[in-house]
Amino acid sequence: MHVDLYAAAIIKLAMLANLTVGVYAIQAPGVPVSVDKAAEYALQASVHGAAAGVDPYELVGIARNESDFVENMVGPDGKDCGLTQTRVTITKYSCQKLRHSVALDFQEAAREMREYGAACRSHADYDRCRLNHYNSGVRYAKHGYHGAYWLRVQCFAEGARRGVMVADTCRRVQSRGDIARALHRSLQRTRSHELVAAAATRPST
């Protein structure tokens, strides 16, 4: 029994560590995320994702796509607030609270995604339906820039899952093929960055 609990705890810690690395990897150029912040986002995405039955990588993908991990962001009309740009018309929390609580941001994003997942269960375009609901509501966009919202989120989420530095390549994806190509280029960029970092820290002889 104790061994099983210990093993489960180790697995959870490893999963949290991997998600932390993923958040850190997908940070936006010019908007630095510290390791401590990446760990905080990973923890909250994991806790609230598990409670709602939502993939935590998808939650951090939403946060990256919505705000570039800028916690106090407010949308153009003043109604989209916080890290995950929760719309105040569909939550009981104020913009002020959302802008100052990462836990609330991920809680509300997870709640929305659980609801949209249930609403879209019978749709042939399940992923597009539930993710684009988050961005454009019940009459979700299916074409154009807004129609590709779901692809951008999935790109950031998969970048975090693989721990690759996607920079802003996910902003331009228009198909699943674009995601694959963006991640491949990002993997090469990540490896180059790691090689430079390793060379810089190697002791001189």
Side-chain angles (χ1 to χ4, degrees), residues 25-79:
I26 65 170
Q27 62 183 282
V31 188
V33 175
S34 69
V35 173
D36 286 345
K37 275 296 178 185
E40 180 184 1
Y41 300 159
L43 176 61
Q44 295 301 332
S46 296
V47 168
H48 295 293
V54 175
D55 181 1
Y57 284 94
E58 198 163 82
L59 293 177
V60 299
I62 288 172
R64 170 65 165 87
N65 191 52
E66 289 287 343
S67 71
D68 285 342
F69 298 131
V70 176
E71 294 179 16
N72 63 353
M73 179 174 282
V74 179
D77 67 357
K79 295 181 180 180

Side-chain angles (χ1 to χ4, degrees), residues 73-141:
M73 179 174 282
V74 179
D77 67 357
K79 295 181 180 180
D80 298 316
C81 305
L83 198 73
T84 55
Q85 290 290 277
T86 300
R87 195 151 182 84
V88 294
T89 55
I90 57 172
T91 179
K92 62 183 179 181
Y93 299 105
S94 68
C95 190
Q96 179 77 357
K97 287 186 176 180
L98 292 165
R99 291 175 61 217
H100 292 90
S101 176
V102 171
L104 281 182
D105 293 335
F106 280 112
Q107 172 189 300
E108 290 302 281
R111 174 188 60 79
E112 285 191 59
M113 290 311 303
R114 179 188 62 214
E115 293 172 358
Y116 301 151
C120 295
R121 190 165 292 128
S122 62
H123 287 240
D125 61 340
Y126 176 71
D127 285 332
R128 180 175 65 178
C129 175
R130 63 192 182 81
L131 285 165
N132 283 8
H133 257 68
Y134 192 92
N135 177 247
S136 51
V138 176
R139 294 194 177 103
Y140 61 94

Side-chain angles (χ1 to χ4, degrees), residues 123-193:
H123 287 240
D125 61 340
Y126 176 71
D127 285 332
R128 180 175 65 178
C129 175
R130 63 192 182 81
L131 285 165
N132 283 8
H133 257 68
Y134 192 92
N135 177 247
S136 51
V138 176
R139 294 194 177 103
Y140 61 94
K142 296 183 179 180
H143 307 286
Y145 182 78
H146 292 295
Y149 176 89
W150 68 289
L151 293 167
R152 294 191 291 277
V153 170
Q154 288 197 330
C155 184
F156 283 124
E158 193 59 31
R161 200 184 311 277
R162 300 186 190 188
V164 296
M165 302 167 63
V166 296
D168 275 336
T169 55
C170 290
R171 295 271 179 220
R172 299 185 289 275
V173 297
Q174 293 290 320
S175 67
R176 291 187 186 276
D178 285 348
I179 293 176
R181 286 185 287 274
L183 293 174
H184 179 70
R185 289 193 297 270
S186 298
L187 178 59
Q188 293 176 320
R189 183 187 306 111
T190 302
R191 287 173 175 169
S192 297
H193 179 81

